[in-house]
């Protein structure tokens, strides 16, 4: 695995929803080798363990990465207090990203809540070939819709309470799409019940599906066994490391 560690400058910071922040980080050596679906491991000052955050944007020309994360505890709160011009201690790019295929003509990108950011680099690759379905708790939690539209992707927004877009879960519009149109691939990230349902719909409709799993991570590089996940490979059970073998897995490999 090829990765770098260093202190990198935050070029821009913005709050894009309540307790959700976007950082643009200057890190040319990481941006050069990063791919969609990988993650960065960030050290919060005063904490031993790093925090894994998915990559939301890669600009190889500018040499920048974008990360979007939610404050979920003291570590991410500390990271959120960094400002433009500060440096951030980052180990990246880590993990195994999404499989991208130029021959795919139509793909569906599905994000649930803070699982939505890793879908943006895929939308930037597939552009008009992609339909992005994203789901959030309510209108206040909605993020990245303009970014997705700017790629040329079609967007479908859902909220649990109906305060924006379709009232309901992402699986409802996806099930319709899966039955009615020729989808070559589905990529998804979000809560486990959502991923499980999407995997089932893909299996029933014979659609290639990759999912990105979230797991607590300590080392982030396959050394501590802290992120094990039960999968099946070559018909045999296999304890995969989410940090190294994933976070992206073929949906058919995951044992739910
Ligand atoms: Fe250490 Fe995955 S976090 S092995």
């Amino acid at each position: 695995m090829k990765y770098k560690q260093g202190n990198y400058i935050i070029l821009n910071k913005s709050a894009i929803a309540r307790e959700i922040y976007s950082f643009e980080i200057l890190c040319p050596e990481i941006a050069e080798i990063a791919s969609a679906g990988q993650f960065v491991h960030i050290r919060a000052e005063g904490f031993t363990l790093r925090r894994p955050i998915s990559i939301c944007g890669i600009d190889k020309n500018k040499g920048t990465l974008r990360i979007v994360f939610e404050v979920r505890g003291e570590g991410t709160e500390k990271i959120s207090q960094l400002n433009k011009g500060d440096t951030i201690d980052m180990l990246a790019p880590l993990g195994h990203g999404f499989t991208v295929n130029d021959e795919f003509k139509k793909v569906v990108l599905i994000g649930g809540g803070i699982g939505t950011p890793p879908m943006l680099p895929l939308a930037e690759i597939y552009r008009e070939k992609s339909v992005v379905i994203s789901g959030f708790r309510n209108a206040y939690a909605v993020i990245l819709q303009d970014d997705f539209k700017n790629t040329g992707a079609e967007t479908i927004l859902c909220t649990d309470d109906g305060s924006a877009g379709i009232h309901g879960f992402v699986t409802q519009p996806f099930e319709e799409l899966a039955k009615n149109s020729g989808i070559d691939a589905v990529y998804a990230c979000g809560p486990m019940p959502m991923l499980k349902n999407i995997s089932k719909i893909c299996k029933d409709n014979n659609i290639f599906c990759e999912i990105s799993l979230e797991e607590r991570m300590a080392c982030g590089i396959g050394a501590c066994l802290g992120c094990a996940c039960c999968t099946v490979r070559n018909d045999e059970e296999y304890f995969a490391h989410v940090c190294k073998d994933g976070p992206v897995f073929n949906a058919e490999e995951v044992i739910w």
Side-chain angles (χ1 to χ4, degrees):
M1 205 191 318
K2 216 169 150 190
Y3 55 82
K4 315 273 180 191
Q5 187 265 322
N7 290 301
Y8 300 94
I9 293 179
I10 299 168
L11 294 182
N12 280 300
K13 171 192 180 182
S14 53
I16 60 171
R18 193 164 172 268
E19 304 282 32
I20 299 182
Y21 293 89
S22 171
F23 284 2
E24 184 190 11
I25 302 162
L26 183 64
C27 50
E29 55 186 13
I30 295 175
E32 183 56 36
I33 54 176
S35 63
Q38 290 189 294
F39 67 96
V40 304
H41 219 19
I42 291 177
R43 185 184 300 285
E45 199 192 326
F47 293 83
T48 314
L49 295 183
R50 292 174 178 270
R51 301 301 190 267
I53 296 175
S54 59
I55 294 174
C56 175
I58 306 162
D59 189 327
K60 293 187 191 288
N61 293 327
K62 282 169 70 184
T64 57
L65 285 189
R66 182 183 182 192
I67 57 169
V68 166
F69 64 97
E70 182 173 31
V71 174
R72 285 185 169 173
E74 291 175 16
T76 41
E77 181 160 12
K78 194 79 192 168
I79 295 167
S80 76
Q81 289 164 356
L82 292 169
N83 285 308
K84 180 177 171 176
D86 289 343
T87 58
I88 189 164
D89 179 343
M90 199 162 71
L91 180 69
L94 297 180
H96 179 266
F98 291 108
T99 308
V100 172
N101 187 331
D102 291 344
E103 291 181 7
F104 289 163
K105 295 200 166 39
K106 181 167 186 177
V107 302
V108 180
L109 316 178
I110 307 176
I114 202 61
T116 305
M119 295 298 122
L120 190 54
L122 286 173
E124 274 161 0
I125 293 168
Y126 287 113
R127 298 193 168 268
E128 288 80 7
K129 293 180 187 175
S130 44
V131 179
V132 180
I133 309 177
S134 27
F136 302 92
R137 284 187 308 278
N138 55 44
Y140 298 110
V142 175
I143 53 169
L144 301 176
Q145 298 304 292
D146 288 343
D147 301 78
F148 283 117
K149 287 189 182 116
N150 289 340
T151 68
E154 180 187 338
T155 56
I156 299 172
L157 172 65
C158 306
T159 52
D160 298 352
D161 67 355
S163 53
I166 296 169
H167 186 180
F169 298 133
V170 292
T171 39
Q172 294 165 11
F174 173 55
E175 200 154 21
E176 291 304 308
L177 270 182
K179 280 186 202 141
N180 301 326
S181 44
I183 298 169
D184 295 307
V186 171
Y187 304 93
C189 183
M192 285 302 257
M194 179 196 108
L195 295 179
K196 188 175 176 182
N197 287 333
I198 288 165
S199 301
K200 182 174 183 317
I201 296 167
C202 287
K203 191 162 195 241
D204 292 348
N205 291 278
N206 204 20
I207 302 171
F208 172 81
C209 176
E210 284 188 336
I211 54 176
S212 178
L213 300 183
E214 252 203 358
E215 192 51 76
R216 283 184 174 275
M217 289 180 195
C219 70
I221 55 170
C224 74
L225 309 179
C227 62
C229 153
C230 196
T231 63
V232 64
R233 283 193 183 168
N234 304 322
D235 292 331
E236 289 193 5
E237 270 192 29
Y238 170 74
F239 271 96
H241 296 112
V242 173
C243 67
K244 185 164 68 79
D245 302 307
V248 175
F249 292 90
N250 185 302
E252 296 203 1
E253 282 183 0
V254 176
I255 298 176
W256 300 98

